[in-house]
């Protein structure tokens, strides 16, 4: 969002996402302690310690790659669990001679009435609240940016949304079946416990152990993702962006792993004192959905969207949603749909409507976004901004050959991953070493003034050489260590040679800027 709109968007979004990630992680700890407590009588404190220690260990050691691979395995177990329990509930109702249709009719005549905000319509609103919120959340987009190519990105996002909808649908079927098997629960905690009760009452001990693994997998899968996403928001969007802009990549890696453990510890502490899962999930999701769903999706497809429209949508949508939830919890002390059916699920429709209205209205009333920010998202504007091509380079020169030999290249899908590591040494004209350390911010400003293609849409810690609309393919410069510069690019397979030329040009421009500080670059072997 910062690239599309303006740096001022970054901090409020980071705070909102971090709060959401903590709330989501809390629900997973609650689920894990309820499962172990219900099935095996494990004390809540010990259950939470087991989960916190396990997740902290494999995330800290394996990093984001460990999160992605464990998520894949754990989601398979989660989906299998949801499908099995739905089939179990339907089978038990069938044994009583009650079909799914009959079971849903038992819920009341209003169940099938699409004009009544309850029953089937309530389930649809629930999907409306959760699925857009999931699409706009930090954690799936973090995986999208880490995907090996665009095809994997699109397939992963669509598959994730589809499988998430499948789990929600299975939970809906299970709830209908449980309405026949048990008396209607008096609250959300009692309703959540029925899910565990139908399993413990009807499953053999050996299968119960396998299902417990499924529950554990689901809890850990979500918690590791939420912890890494929340830690990333704090480390990259707040600490590195505002508090420690000169931090190196190695320093930020250490900081991020410490923050992952802190996020897990905070969530675990809250979970010891909270027992309701579903309400925390819905509250976290509707806040996210009403805050930044329209700024994110609208910014990708509507070029007239502006930073002021996005900011007003964040404030109006998210602020209204927080006020509605606060009123419901602390003053009204009962669901808002007792006031009006349109306020079901904490009034998410009101928050979404205001967010959309402010996003569109304020965007149309404020000046359009500059082309340099639109170019990475809209091909026709990119052609206008970047259509001049790149200067020719002499590929036969010894200097060019030396740089090419040091570029590390790996293929992943339809993308090449190119890396060049540069050390910079402070020297005088006579070759004597100078002890002074180069100021990174001053260097970034210097190279931007000397060569206009260098751009910092997300702060001085990441500098892009914007020569085309595909920002993954553009050369990116970061500070690897106190005396290192790391260059990287992820061009499409057919663009590899062009981007190697771009890296060579970037190296020469970096050399020009370093000379202004009395330093010289040395390519690492």
């Amino acid at each position: 969002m910062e690239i599309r709109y303006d740096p001022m968007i970054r901090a409020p979004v980071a705070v909102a996402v971090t709060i959401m990630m903590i709330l989501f992680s809390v629900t997973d700890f609650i689920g894990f302690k309820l499962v172990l407590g219900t099935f095996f009588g494990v004390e809540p404190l010990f259950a939470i310690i087991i989960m916190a220690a396990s997740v902290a260990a494999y995330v800290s050691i394996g990093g984001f790659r460990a999160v992605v691979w464990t998520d894949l395995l754990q989601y398979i177990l989660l989906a299998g669990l949801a499908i099995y329990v739905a089939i179990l509930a339907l089978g038990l109702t069938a044994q009583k001679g009650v079909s799914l249709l009959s079971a849903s009719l038992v819920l009341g005549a209003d169940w099938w009435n699409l004009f009544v905000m309850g029953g089937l319509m309530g389930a649809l609103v629930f999907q409306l609240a959760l699925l857009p919120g999931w699409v706009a959340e930090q954690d799936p987009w973090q995986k999208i940016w880490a995907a090996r190519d665009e095809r994997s990105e699109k397939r992963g996002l669509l598959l994730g949304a589809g499988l998430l909808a499948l789990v929600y649908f299975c939970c809906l079927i299970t709830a209908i079946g449980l309405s026949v098997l048990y008396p209607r629960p008096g609250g959300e905690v009692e309703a959540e416990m029925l899910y565990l009760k139908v399993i413990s009452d009807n499953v053999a001990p050996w299968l119960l152990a396998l299902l417990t693994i499924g529950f554990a997998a689901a809890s850990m899968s979500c918690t590791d993702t939420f912890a890494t996403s929340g830690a990333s928001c704090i480390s990259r969007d707040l600490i590195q962006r505002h508090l420690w802009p000169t931090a190196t990549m190695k320093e930020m890696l250490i900081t991020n792993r410490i923050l992952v453990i802190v996020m897990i510890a905070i969530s675990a502490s809250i979970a010891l004192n909270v027992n309701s899962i579903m309400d925390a999930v819905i509250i976290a999701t509707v806040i996210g959905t009403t805050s930044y769903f329209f700024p994110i999706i609208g910014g990708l497809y509507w070029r007239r969207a502006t930073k002021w429209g996005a900011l007003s949508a964040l404030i109006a949508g998210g602020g209204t949603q927080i006020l509605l939830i606060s009123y419901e919890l602390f003053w009204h002390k009962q669901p808002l749909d007792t006031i009006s059916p349109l306020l079901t699920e904490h009034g998410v429709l009101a928050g979404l409507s205001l967010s959309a209205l402010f996003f569109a209205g304020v965007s149309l009333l404020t000046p359009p976004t500059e082309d340099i920010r639109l170019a990475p998202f809209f091909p026709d504007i990119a052609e206008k901004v970047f259509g001049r091509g790149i200067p020719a380079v002499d590929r036969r020169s010894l200097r060019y050959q030396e740089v090419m030999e040091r570029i590390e290249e790996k293929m992943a899908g339809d993308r090449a991953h190119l890396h060049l590591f540069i050390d910079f040494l402070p020297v005088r004209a006579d070759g004597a070493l100078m002890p002074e350390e180069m100021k990174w911010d001053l260097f970034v400003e210097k190279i931007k003034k000397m060569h206009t293609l260098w751009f910092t849409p997300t702060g001085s810690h990441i500098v892009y050489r914007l020569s085309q609309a595909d920002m993954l393919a553009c050369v990116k410069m970061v500070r690897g260590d106190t005396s290192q510069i790391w260059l990287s690019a992820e061009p499409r397979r057919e663009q590899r040679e062009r981007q190697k030329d771009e890296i060579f040009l970037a190296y020469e421009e970096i050399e020009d800027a370093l000379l202004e500080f009395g330093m010289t670059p040395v390519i690492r072997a």
Side-chain angles (χ1 to χ4, degrees):
M1 288 180 69
E2 185 177 29
I3 295 174
R4 172 62 176 84
Y5 295 115
D6 189 86
M8 70 178 184
I9 298 292
R10 187 168 187 165
V13 171
V15 172
V17 170
T18 301
I19 293 173
M20 286 179 58
M21 295 300 103
I22 290 175
L23 287 174
F24 280 138
S25 186
V26 166
T27 64
D28 297 311
F29 276 104
I30 295 172
F32 190 76
K33 77 174 183 180
L34 290 178
V35 168
L36 291 190
T38 302
F39 293 166
F40 304 107
V42 177
E43 290 293 325
L45 176 62
F46 295 127
I48 286 178
I49 289 175
I50 291 171
M51 179 170 163
S54 301
V55 176
Y58 73 73
V59 172
S60 298
I61 295 172
F64 191 67
R65 183 180 295 273
V67 171
V68 172
W69 282 107
T70 53
D71 275 359
L72 175 62
L73 175 61
Q74 291 161 347
Y75 188 84
I76 292 173
L77 295 173
L78 168 63
L81 171 67
I83 293 171
Y84 173 79
V85 176
I87 294 173
L88 175 64
L90 289 179
L92 292 173
T93 56
Q95 291 177 10
K96 290 192 171 187
V98 180
S99 66
L100 178 63
L101 178 60
S102 300
S104 61
L105 292 176
V106 171
L107 297 175
D110 289 338
W111 170 258
W112 295 103
N113 189 343
L114 295 179
F115 298 99
V116 175
M117 197 62 68
L120 184 60
M121 180 55 71
L124 294 175
V125 171
F126 183 79
Q127 292 274 30
L128 178 65
L130 292 185
L131 280 179
W134 178 82
V135 170
E137 283 169 12
Q138 163 84 358
D139 46 306
W141 283 94
Q142 197 174 33
K143 293 182 175 67
I144 287 173
W145 279 104
R148 64 181 184 177
D149 52 46
E150 289 185 10
R151 183 182 180 187
S152 299
E153 294 169 3
K154 294 176 181 178
R155 291 174 62 183
L157 186 62
L158 292 175
L159 180 62
L163 292 176
L164 195 62
L166 172 63
V167 171
Y168 292 159
F169 178 74
C170 289
C171 291
L172 173 63
I173 298 300
T174 302
I176 295 174
L178 293 179
S179 68
V180 176
L181 301 173
Y182 300 99
R184 183 168 297 187
E188 290 180 352
V189 175
E190 292 82 0
E192 292 161 3
M193 293 303 297
L194 283 184
Y195 197 88
L196 302 180
K197 182 173 176 58
V198 72
I199 296 173
S200 60
D201 288 349
N202 299 280
V203 171
W206 66 270
L207 185 55
L208 185 64
L210 291 179
L211 293 178
T212 301
I213 294 174
F215 277 114
S219 299
M220 291 184 182
S221 172
C222 296
T223 297
D224 60 28
T225 299
F226 299 146
T228 53
S229 297
S232 175
C233 283
I234 297 173
S235 63
R236 298 295 299 275
D237 299 337
L238 296 178
I239 294 178
Q240 190 176 30
R241 183 69 176 86
H242 299 287
L243 303 178
W244 194 11
T246 59
T248 66
M249 293 299 290
K250 291 181 179 179
E251 290 168 336
M252 290 312 303
L253 177 62
I254 296 172
T255 301
N256 195 70
R257 294 198 172 183
I258 293 173
L259 287 172
V260 167
I261 297 175
V262 172
M263 289 283 294
I264 292 172
I266 293 174
S267 301
S269 300
I270 296 174
L272 284 172
N273 301 292
V274 179
N275 291 316
S276 177
I277 299 175
M278 187 53 66
D279 205 38
V281 171
I282 297 175
I283 288 174
T285 303
V286 297
I287 290 175
T289 301
T290 55
S291 295
Y292 50 73
F293 174 72
F294 286 107
I296 289 179
I297 303 302
L300 291 175
Y301 297 103
W302 187 39
R303 67 189 63 195
R304 192 59 183 82
T306 68
K307 62 182 179 182
W308 299 113
L311 186 61
S312 64
L314 280 167
I315 296 173
T320 298
Q321 191 63 63
I322 291 173
L323 289 175
L324 287 172
I325 291 171
S326 300
Y327 174 74
E328 180 182 45
L329 294 178
F330 303 113
W331 285 278
H332 194 57
K333 296 185 178 180
Q334 53 183 318
L336 289 178
D337 55 15
T338 58
I339 299 175
S340 169
L342 295 176
L343 294 178
T344 189
E345 301 299 350
H346 308 287
V348 63
L349 292 180
L352 270 175
S353 300
L354 282 175
S355 180
L357 179 64
F358 274 82
F359 177 66
V362 175
S363 291
L364 292 173
L365 293 173
T366 51
T369 303
E370 56 268 31
D371 285 349
I372 190 64
R373 292 191 176 277
L374 295 175
F377 304 94
F378 300 98
D380 57 330
I381 297 179
E383 181 66 25
K384 181 173 66 174
V385 174
F386 304 118
R388 58 184 176 274
I390 66 171
V393 298
D394 183 4
R395 294 182 176 178
R396 295 174 297 178
S397 69
L398 293 178
R399 184 179 179 82
Y400 179 88
Q401 295 297 329
E402 179 186 359
V403 174
M404 292 302 105
E405 289 175 358
R406 302 297 173 84
I407 293 178
E408 296 183 4
E409 179 179 355
K410 294 181 181 179
M411 294 301 303
D414 63 358
R415 292 272 179 178
H417 294 257
L418 308 177
H419 298 274
L420 183 67
F421 302 99
I422 303 171
D423 294 322
F424 51 89
L425 302 176
V427 295
R428 287 196 179 97
D430 59 3
L433 290 178
M434 295 174 62
E436 294 84 358
E437 179 181 336
M438 185 186 69
K439 301 297 183 182
W440 178 256
D441 288 343
L442 296 178
F443 167 72
V444 171
E445 289 303 315
K446 175 62 69 174
I447 197 171
K448 287 168 61 178
K449 289 180 180 179
M450 295 177 65
H451 304 282
T452 57
L453 287 180
W454 292 97
F455 187 50
T456 52
T458 61
S460 63
H461 59 288
I462 302 178
V463 192
Y464 291 89
R465 191 177 186 276
L466 283 182
S467 58
Q468 57 181 297
D470 185 355
M471 293 193 69
L472 282 177
C474 289
V475 177
K476 180 174 67 175
M477 176 176 66
V478 298
R479 189 181 190 184
D481 207 337
T482 54
S483 59
Q484 293 177 354
I485 291 175
W486 295 353
L487 296 181
S488 62
E490 298 179 22
R492 298 180 186 277
R493 186 184 297 267
E494 62 272 14
Q495 288 184 306
R496 284 180 298 167
E497 296 307 316
R498 167 187 167 155
Q499 287 313 107
K500 288 180 180 179
D501 290 349
E502 293 266 13
I503 290 178
F504 175 73
L505 293 172
Y507 173 77
E508 290 195 320
E509 292 167 359
I510 290 170
E511 183 179 43
D512 291 342
L514 286 175
L515 288 175
E516 295 292 320
F517 294 87
M519 297 190 180
T520 185
V522 178
I523 302 176
R524 295 175 62 186

